[in-house]
Amino acid sequence: MNFNRHLENIEVYEAGKPIELVVREFGVAPENIIKMASNENPFGMSPRVAEAIAKNSYKGYLYPDDSMYELKDALAKKYSVDSSEIIIGAGSDQVLEFISRAKLNSSSKVLMNGVTFAMYSIYTEQMGAEIVKTDSVEHDLKQFQTLAEEHNPDIIFLCTPNNPTGDIIEKDNLLNFLETVDKNSLVVVDGAYMEYVKYSSPDSYIEPKDLIEKYPNTIYLGTFSKAFGLGGMRVGYGVAKKEIIENLYKVRPPFNITTLSLLSAIEALKDMEFVENSIESNFSEMRRFEEFADENGLDYIKSSTNFITLLLPDGYNSSNLSDKLLRVGIIIRDLKGYGLNAIRITIGKPEENSRFFEVFKKIL
Ligand SMILES: *Cc1c(COP(=O)(O)O)cnc(C)c1O
């Protein structure tokens, strides 16, 4: 059977492993499994959100409000933009898909960092467009500028902080770079972890209005999956000038998030204290990871997110280490697929991290 020929070279995205798999394959009891692979909030969701879901669960029979008025209104107020400048997706992943479908065809090019979020490549390949990458692990905007001039890309993906490395693009550098970009190139600024930057490096904290007013060819992406603890509800958003949003709406299916997801996101925005407390714990625990790395002679990339990437010395293999941890119920992310001999670990609760240190030290 023939399929869209652009799919031939696509490797199916391998998501972080679920708890169910470890129970099934290695017989570890669910309560002994620690999931440190998908950058979820280890504290779960705000109790206020959990309560709202329970109370409104019967509403699952109703289609959601497809205008998503209340959520867009809350985000518009949070970011001082207009509701017409916002689109909601089933995760910001879906907004990435809208962007690729609205902007790319088989003669397009996109530009991205050497090591970055895998979905940028996958959506680009689906459209048959060409991928140009820098050869950098952390964003090198000088290279971005040179390659943008050479290739004239339709989309430039910037991820700050970057996944899977955790480093940020400094705000001044980012804004200077935007000055140089051709107005026909759409610059995607993926801020999936931006809430953490407000705490760790406030000078590089970016909000949509910092970008879209002066640079109308940019779109900012945010998500409820990370700091807000709603990964399973699938809610993300894009903020851009109206012309861009209108075109993204043309490829959006109706009712693209669920009634309960919509309600959770609206409720989550009312409990910023939960988010702030989670972030505070995240960075005091991050310090424990840095100390652990120092004590054990491991290099790491300074992170402004809820995960840390440990670079392994020669003689260690990231896949073997990940596998050994998996067998005892600790799920982390092997970065072999990104071309790095490194592992990415989501910062857990204090007691989870203590267990990680203990087990990992033995395995080392
Ligand atoms: C997690 C993540 C996303 C999107 O997550 P959704 O759950 O689809 O909102 C986007 N970009 C990066 C860099 C991420 O790490």
Side-chain angles (χ1 to χ4, degrees):
M1 196 183 288
N2 294 325
F3 290 93
N4 174 348
R5 68 185 164 83
H6 301 316
L7 302 187
E8 276 166 26
N9 298 320
I10 297 184
E11 290 200 31
V12 176
Y13 179 75
E14 202 188 319
K17 293 189 169 57
I19 289 171
E20 292 81 350
L21 175 138
V22 183
V23 175
R24 219 163 45 229
E25 290 198 3
F26 305 114
V28 183
E31 63 274 19
N32 292 331
I33 296 174
I34 316 177
K35 198 173 178 213
M36 308 174 102
S38 298
N39 306 338
E40 291 137 330
N41 186 331
F43 297 100
M45 59 175 74
S46 151
R48 178 173 179 153
V49 178
E51 205 175 294
I53 294 172
K55 213 172 98 200
N56 291 283
S57 61
Y58 74 95
K59 287 189 183 157
Y61 81 103
L62 288 169
Y63 279 112
D65 166 12
D66 195 46
S67 76
M68 305 188 198
Y69 176 86
E70 212 181 324
L71 178 56
K72 288 205 283 188
D73 187 56
L75 286 169
K77 291 201 170 91
K78 174 181 166 73
Y79 288 131
S80 315
V81 297
D82 195 84
S83 282
S84 65
E85 297 172 321
I86 299 174
I87 187 166
I88 307 296
S92 53
D93 245 308
Q94 192 182 35
V95 184
L96 284 166
E97 185 188 1
F98 295 161
I99 292 168
S100 304
R101 289 177 57 204
K103 188 80 173 115
L104 302 177
N105 58 49
S106 59
S107 53
S108 310
K109 289 185 182 183
V110 312
L111 174 59
M112 67 185 76
N113 195 51
V115 176
T116 194
F117 190 48
M119 293 312 298
Y120 307 152
S121 301
I122 293 179
Y123 291 127
T124 302
E125 286 172 341
Q126 288 175 359
M127 301 305 295
E130 186 186 329
I131 298 168
V132 179
K133 287 186 173 189
T134 65
D135 59 21
S136 46
V137 173
E138 300 178 23
H139 282 71
D140 176 352
L141 293 181
K142 280 265 164 344
Q143 263 195 69
F144 266 86
Q145 190 180 336
T146 309
L147 291 170
E149 279 161 13
E150 186 183 336
H151 293 279
N152 196 22
D154 290 272
I155 300 178
I156 300 173
F157 290 102
L158 299 176
C159 190
T160 181
N162 194 16
N163 180 7
T165 47
D167 56 295
I168 43 172
I169 303 175
E170 297 204 355
K171 186 173 177 180
D172 288 349
N173 290 347
L174 175 62
L175 298 180
N176 288 337
F177 171 68
L178 292 177
E179 290 288 341
T180 71
V181 175
D182 186 276
K183 296 301 167 246
N184 264 316
S185 296
L186 176 61
V187 182
V188 177
V189 178
D190 185 343
Y193 303 92
M194 195 57 78
E195 289 84 3
Y196 296 91
V197 178
K198 201 171 190 173
Y199 187 98
S200 67
S201 333
D203 289 348
S204 287
Y205 176 73
I206 292 164
E207 285 206 348
K209 65 175 183 320
D210 301 332
L211 303 170
I212 70 172
E213 287 309 321
K214 192 145 181 236
Y215 309 102
N217 59 328
T218 55
I219 180 164
Y220 176 90
L221 302 188
T223 180
F224 286 89
S225 298
K226 309 287 160 57
F228 286 92
L230 294 180
M233 298 309 284
R234 314 303 304 124
V235 192
Y237 52 90
V239 187
K241 295 312 275 182
K242 213 169 151 190
E243 182 203 4
I244 298 172
I245 298 296
E246 278 171 354
N247 277 284
L248 300 186
Y249 258 92
K250 293 181 185 176
V251 297
R252 181 194 76 104
F255 309 119
N256 60 315
I257 69 169
T258 72
T259 303
L260 293 172
S261 310
L262 189 54
L263 180 144
S264 322
I266 293 165
E267 211 55 36
L269 287 173
K270 296 177 189 162
D271 191 358
M272 290 311 291
E273 201 186 329
F274 169 80
V275 174
E276 283 153 19
N277 289 341
S278 305
I279 293 176
E280 210 163 299
S281 161
N282 179 73
F283 285 110
S284 58
E285 291 300 301
M286 179 77 76
R287 248 165 273 134
R288 290 179 68 205
F289 272 87
E290 292 170 351
E291 280 163 20
F292 177 84
D294 290 339
E295 283 164 13
N296 290 280
L298 300 168
D299 280 334
Y300 59 87
I301 300 174
K302 187 83 187 153
S303 171
S304 295
T305 63
N306 63 346
F307 59 82
I308 187 165
T309 293
L310 300 180
L311 305 165
L312 302 174
D314 290 343
Y316 289 103
N317 178 312
S318 61
S319 306
N320 288 345
L321 278 183
S322 308
D323 196 56
K324 281 187 180 148
L325 287 166
L326 193 63
R327 281 162 195 280
V328 294
I330 298 178
I331 317 174
I332 58 154
R333 197 85 156 113
D334 173 20
L335 298 183
K336 191 54 53 77
Y338 289 85
L340 300 175
N341 187 28
I343 52 176
R344 190 193 70 190
I345 305 145
T346 306
I347 309 299
K349 287 184 191 168
E351 61 275 20
E352 294 172 335
N353 300 331
S354 300
R355 167 134 178 260
F356 171 85
F357 297 140
E358 194 185 312
V359 173
F360 193 60
K361 206 165 174 158
K362 270 187 213 145
I363 288 176
L364 278 177

